[in-house]
Amino acid sequence: MITSFPTPYPDEIFHSLIARYHMYSGNLIYKHTALDLFGVPNINLNRNLPSHLGTLIDNMSNKPLNLEDLIINHTLYPYFTAFKSKKDREKVKNSMIYNNYHQPVKFGLTGTVKSEKLLQHCYKCIEEDTNKYGETYWHRIHQVPGVLVCPYHKIPLIWSSKKSFDSYYYYNFCIASSEALLDKPVEREVNEEELDLLYRYAVEAEWILSQSKYEKVYEFPLDIKKILKSKGDFFRKNGSIKHNKLYLDFKNIFSTSFLNLMQSPIKNNENSWLRSILKRNRSHPLRHILMIMFLSDSISDFNYKLNNTPPPKEEEQCPFGLGPWPCLNPTHSKYKKDVINNVELRVIRDTKLLMGVFKCSCGFVYSRRATYPESEGNYRINKISFGPLWEKKLTTLIKEGYKLQSICKKLQADQSTVKRYATLLNLEFSWKGHTLDELKKSGKYTNTKCKFEKKLSERRNLWLDLIERDQNVTSVTNSSLYRWLLRNDREWLIKNYPKSKRCKEPKRIINWEERDKELLEEIKEIIREWKRLETSRPKKITKYSLAMQSKNPNFLTNDIDKIPLTLNYLNTVIELPEQYKLRKLEWAYEHLLVNNEPLTKTKLINKAAISNNPKTNLIIEEFLLSKKCK
């Protein structure tokens, strides 16, 4: 049973979640991680629509993950099934829960549009993740087919040039924070027009992923034809579509280079996907989105056109209506008066519901979910930050000797809140047997920050004791203490990380001038002794063969630009193919003479192991003439 599993980050793709478990668990081999999670050592997890999810949930002891949440919010299931029927959606979902990997292919979820071979990321997202969580992770939206631009920052995505995702065969997991993968990243170059179109597509793809409870079922191609009729003159009198006009209008909006980037080039013939999407609903979701972008401004706008309903008015777009909004600070002179002009909208991570944050100039901040009825919505509060004006009034009331119940009534706060703030502000009080000193000793109303700092100090001391007792990197990283510090105190952990026994010594600074001279002499000595190295047959003089005979082969293979003297000498001694063939013929000739064998052309060619083709025939003939062989 799995006793601990990482909590998913917002929009973290399932593959990233498994990779983080592999890193936190301290498993050295990926087979061990697959065995922990799925009960089998070999498993092929599809990056877009992974299977065996039911097995994973069943193997967890405390069930920290919800199966429905995992599929909806951490896989590309919402994207690939956005234009499928409810029946097909259920079939795909069942294929992901159970061990039925080949089912997605049957529903037309794959085709000519391929997913990127390399996992993609965004420079700014990496920076934001590191600042907020202490590490980065693979974002789901960045792995959607066709998403080449970040929908949050409008910059091209990057990917590693070192290793493709396909090379992570079967049960291999790719960690986003791996320096080896993010080293020398590649960024796609796009012009301004392509950038705008790519950004627009990325925003639509992100909208689909964010609609976790969106149950709209499209009836393609009927819906497309319905909007085409209202958009322009695309139909003849007999009801047939003017494909030439559709092709030209589509090309006017989407350039050829953009369509090539989206793996969706179009041709004005029967085999074009632009025509097939109007006949049957078997096209890739990417091409459905392109068609919707052609017909309307966005998918939500497309829905309004389908239903013949106007877009929402400005006041309806904000769930809290038009401002200003009231200040709910009872100590403020403008209490319940509309003085707040701006609202900050946020999405609650767990429930995906919208929340508004209202900040007044008096310092009072409150938040409210967009789910309360209008009758009580304006004065309903979820969370509060009271601010300096409220705290000043509390100080005044305590000094004037008001009772606890009276203070709670005037400040509109419960007793626990008043006690906590009085303790934090170090105000002398005595209510129902409780005094300031007693509450401080109990620690009940101690500042959360102080508690965290105390806990942090304790964990640091435990870590130092642990690595003092055990310098084995594998054992200390396989502990809950290591994972807690990695999340909450990453910089300190890196500085106080145990040195592995396998760690290499720091690289010494090399004097390349001297090394070049030494290497030159070494190569000259190897050339002088080359005959001795050829024990049975001639050995071709190449850069690689010389490197293998030198003390440090890397200097000739990796650092060739740092040794100019040696490089110049190598260019004079390295054998060309013709030179090597002549030397082999010479060796074969001498060998036949020594063994008193007949000096025929066939014998010579076979002994020298040279093919008699038009390219080498001239070399062979000249050698035979020089030796007067038959």
Side-chain angles (χ1 to χ4, degrees):
M1 298 296 287
I2 306 167
T3 56
S4 62
F5 196 80
T7 303
Y9 290 126
D11 197 50
E12 181 177 16
I13 198 164
F14 178 71
H15 178 88
S16 176
L17 193 61
I18 301 300
R20 286 201 297 120
Y21 172 83
H22 173 75
M23 179 179 67
Y24 296 154
S25 65
N27 289 337
L28 297 179
I29 303 175
Y30 292 102
K31 285 185 179 181
H32 294 168
T33 297
L35 196 61
D36 289 348
L37 300 179
F38 305 101
V40 290
N42 299 338
I43 186 169
N44 187 352
L45 290 175
N46 184 283
R47 183 182 9 160
N48 299 328
L49 299 167
S51 58
H52 301 78
L53 299 184
T55 304
L56 174 66
I57 299 298
D58 292 339
N59 288 341
M60 293 182 179
S61 57
N62 53 354
K63 300 291 185 292
L65 293 180
N66 178 276
L67 185 59
E68 184 75 13
D69 176 72
L70 186 63
I71 294 174
I72 298 297
N73 297 318
H74 300 287
T75 71
L76 294 185
Y77 167 83
Y79 172 82
F80 281 103
T81 60
F83 307 103
K84 295 293 177 183
S85 65
K86 289 183 178 180
K87 183 179 179 181
D88 284 346
R89 289 179 190 176
E90 286 302 316
K91 288 181 179 179
V92 174
K93 187 181 291 186
N94 289 334
S95 72
M96 296 172 69
I97 296 173
Y98 305 108
N99 308 339
N100 195 351
Y101 172 72
H102 298 289
Q103 280 296 326
V105 181
K106 297 180 181 180
F107 301 115
L109 304 183
T110 59
T112 56
V113 179
K114 305 296 182 183
S115 299
E116 290 291 333
K117 289 186 177 181
L118 298 159
L119 287 166
Q120 301 182 123
H121 221 318
C122 166
Y123 276 123
K124 292 189 177 179
C125 287
I126 292 174
E127 184 180 346
E128 290 176 359
D129 293 344
T130 306
N131 293 336
K132 190 171 183 180
Y133 306 112
E135 62 179 339
T136 188
Y137 58 94
W138 297 115
H139 289 247
R140 180 174 57 151
I141 181 59
H142 296 158
Q143 320 312 325
V144 172
V147 173
L148 308 177
V149 171
C150 180
Y152 309 116
H153 303 110
K154 200 180 179 180
I155 60 174
L157 299 179
I158 59 171
W159 69 94
S160 168
S161 60
K162 284 197 170 186
K163 208 169 190 180
S164 70
F165 180 84
D166 291 347
S167 65
Y168 286 87
Y169 185 67
Y170 285 114
Y171 42 82
N172 224 339
F173 310 118
C174 174
I175 301 170
S177 56
S178 172
E179 294 179 2
L181 287 166
L182 295 178
D183 185 30
K184 297 181 181 178
V186 180
E187 181 177 335
R188 182 178 280 105
E189 294 183 2
V190 294
N191 58 43
E192 189 173 344
E193 181 185 358
E194 290 172 351
L195 182 65
D196 290 338
L197 289 172
L198 290 171
Y199 174 70
R200 186 181 166 196
Y201 170 81
V203 169
E204 296 304 320
E206 197 276 335
W207 185 88
I208 288 178
L209 292 181
S210 65
Q211 304 298 308
S212 59
K213 297 181 180 179
Y214 188 66
E215 294 296 333
K216 170 66 180 177
V217 176
Y218 296 96
E219 295 180 2
F220 287 123
L222 296 177
D223 290 344
I224 295 177
K225 291 180 179 179
K226 181 179 179 181
I227 304 301
L228 271 177
K229 287 181 181 179
S230 63
K231 186 175 177 63
D233 187 20
F234 288 103
F235 286 86
R236 299 184 181 92
K237 291 182 179 180
N238 61 1
S240 63
I241 299 175
K242 297 179 181 178
H243 289 291
N244 290 337
K245 177 177 173 54
L246 178 63
Y247 170 79
L248 293 174
D249 286 9
F250 202 86
K251 292 278 287 185
N252 287 336
I253 294 179
F254 303 119
S255 64
T256 302
S257 59
F258 168 74
L259 291 175
N260 288 335
L261 285 174
M262 304 298 283
Q263 306 178 62
S264 301
I266 57 172
K267 296 179 181 179
N268 195 13
N269 56 35
E270 289 293 333
N271 298 324
S272 175
W273 68 264
L274 191 59
R275 294 194 182 188
S276 65
I277 200 173
L278 297 172
K279 297 177 182 178
R280 57 187 181 276
N281 185 14
R282 296 287 292 178
S283 296
H284 195 279
L286 180 149
R287 292 173 178 172
H288 282 296
I289 297 175
L290 289 180
M291 179 57 76
I292 291 174
M293 289 169 60
F294 168 72
L295 295 173
S296 58
D297 295 333
S298 63
I299 298 179
S300 57
D301 181 60
F302 183 79
N303 294 335
Y304 296 131
K305 289 181 179 179
L306 277 179
N307 300 323
N308 293 321
T309 55
K313 298 178 182 179
E314 185 181 359
E315 61 269 16
E316 295 173 351
Q317 292 179 359
C318 177
F320 305 101
L322 290 175
W325 296 274
C327 172
L328 301 182
N329 183 359
T331 64
H332 192 202
S333 58
K334 296 184 178 180
Y335 175 55
K336 287 192 176 181
K337 292 184 179 180
D338 296 335
V339 293
I340 301 176
N341 296 315
N342 297 313
V343 58
E344 180 184 346
L345 298 179
R346 297 178 184 174
V347 177
I348 302 173
R349 177 180 169 182
D350 297 331
T351 61
K352 304 297 181 183
L353 296 175
L354 202 61
M355 179 180 69
V357 180
F358 304 85
K359 299 178 181 179
C360 181
S361 57
C362 69
F364 190 87
V365 181
Y366 65 94
S367 63
R368 186 170 76 245
R369 289 196 298 269
T371 55
Y372 298 118
E374 294 181 1
S375 59
E376 60 176 295
N378 280 346
Y379 304 110
R380 187 67 180 262
I381 295 176
N382 288 115
K383 293 183 179 180
I384 300 174
S385 176
F386 291 99
L389 188 64
W390 188 91
E391 292 174 358
K392 185 179 179 181
K393 182 65 174 178
L394 172 63
T395 306
T396 303
L397 292 174
I398 291 176
K399 288 182 178 179
E400 290 178 357
Y402 278 83
K403 294 182 179 180
L404 180 60
Q405 290 182 348
S406 299
I407 295 176
C408 293
K409 188 175 181 180
K410 288 181 178 293
L411 299 181
Q412 295 189 12
D414 55 38
Q415 294 185 9
S416 179
T417 301
V418 172
K419 288 180 181 179
R420 180 163 63 89
Y421 272 86
T423 305
L424 294 175
L425 295 172
N426 204 27
L427 302 175
E428 291 291 342
F429 60 84
S430 177
W431 297 318
K432 292 187 177 181
H434 290 296
T435 63
L436 177 62
D437 293 334
E438 288 176 352
L439 289 179
K440 278 186 175 181
K441 288 178 182 178
S442 67
K444 185 177 179 180
Y445 300 112
T446 307
N447 196 342
T448 307
K449 185 177 179 181
C450 296
K451 287 183 178 179
F452 176 77
E453 289 175 354
K454 184 180 178 182
K455 187 176 183 180
L456 184 64
S457 178
E458 292 174 354
R459 297 292 177 99
R460 284 179 174 180
N461 292 332
L462 287 172
W463 174 259
L464 294 175
D465 293 340
L466 178 62
I467 62 174
E468 188 176 349
R469 294 193 307 270
D470 190 354
Q471 285 288 324
N472 188 349
V473 176
T474 304
S475 61
V476 297
T477 55
N478 195 18
S479 64
S480 59
L481 177 61
Y482 166 78
R483 295 193 290 271
W484 189 92
L485 289 170
L486 188 67
R487 290 193 302 269
N488 299 285
D489 199 12
R490 189 184 185 88
E491 290 185 8
W492 182 90
L493 180 64
I494 293 172
K495 291 178 182 178
N496 295 274
Y497 195 78
K499 293 182 179 179
S500 173
K501 295 176 182 179
R502 295 176 293 177
C503 287
K504 298 178 180 179
E505 294 181 0
K507 290 184 179 180
R508 294 173 294 176
I509 298 174
I510 299 174
N511 187 333
W512 286 105
E513 234 180 275
E514 292 183 6
R515 183 54 58 88
D516 190 13
K517 293 177 183 178
E518 294 172 4
L519 194 57
L520 178 61
E521 293 301 320
E522 185 183 359
I523 298 299
K524 285 182 178 179
E525 182 63 26
I526 293 172
I527 292 295
R528 285 193 289 268
E529 299 292 328
W530 194 258
K531 289 279 186 184
R532 183 178 55 80
L533 299 174
E534 297 175 333
T535 54
S536 57
R537 295 183 59 84
K539 188 176 181 180
K540 190 176 181 181
I541 302 174
T542 64
K543 185 176 72 172
Y544 179 78
S545 61
L546 289 170
M548 292 302 101
Q549 298 300 323
S550 64
K551 295 178 182 177
N552 197 328
N554 290 333
F555 291 139
L556 287 180
T557 55
N558 298 338
D559 304 308
I560 196 70
D561 57 325
K562 299 176 183 177
I563 47 175
L565 296 177
T566 307
L567 179 61
N568 291 334
Y569 179 71
L570 286 175
N571 292 333
T572 62
V573 297
I574 288 175
E575 288 183 316
L576 296 173
E578 295 79 8
Q579 294 172 330
Y580 180 50
K581 288 174 184 177
L582 282 172
R583 200 156 64 83
K584 286 203 293 184
L585 287 169
E586 189 69 40
W587 170 83
Y589 176 77
E590 293 177 359
H591 191 274
L592 292 174
L593 281 179
V594 171
N595 293 285
N596 295 320
E597 296 183 30
L599 295 170
T600 62
K601 178 180 178 181
T602 305
K603 281 274 186 182
L604 193 65
I605 291 173
N606 290 339
K607 192 64 182 178
I610 295 176
S611 58
N612 188 10
N613 56 48
K615 292 183 179 180
T616 60
N617 190 47
L618 184 61
I619 299 172
I620 297 170
E621 292 293 339
E622 288 179 355
F623 179 82
L624 292 175
L625 287 173
S626 66
K627 300 297 182 180
K628 297 181 181 180
C629 296
K630 294 181 182 180

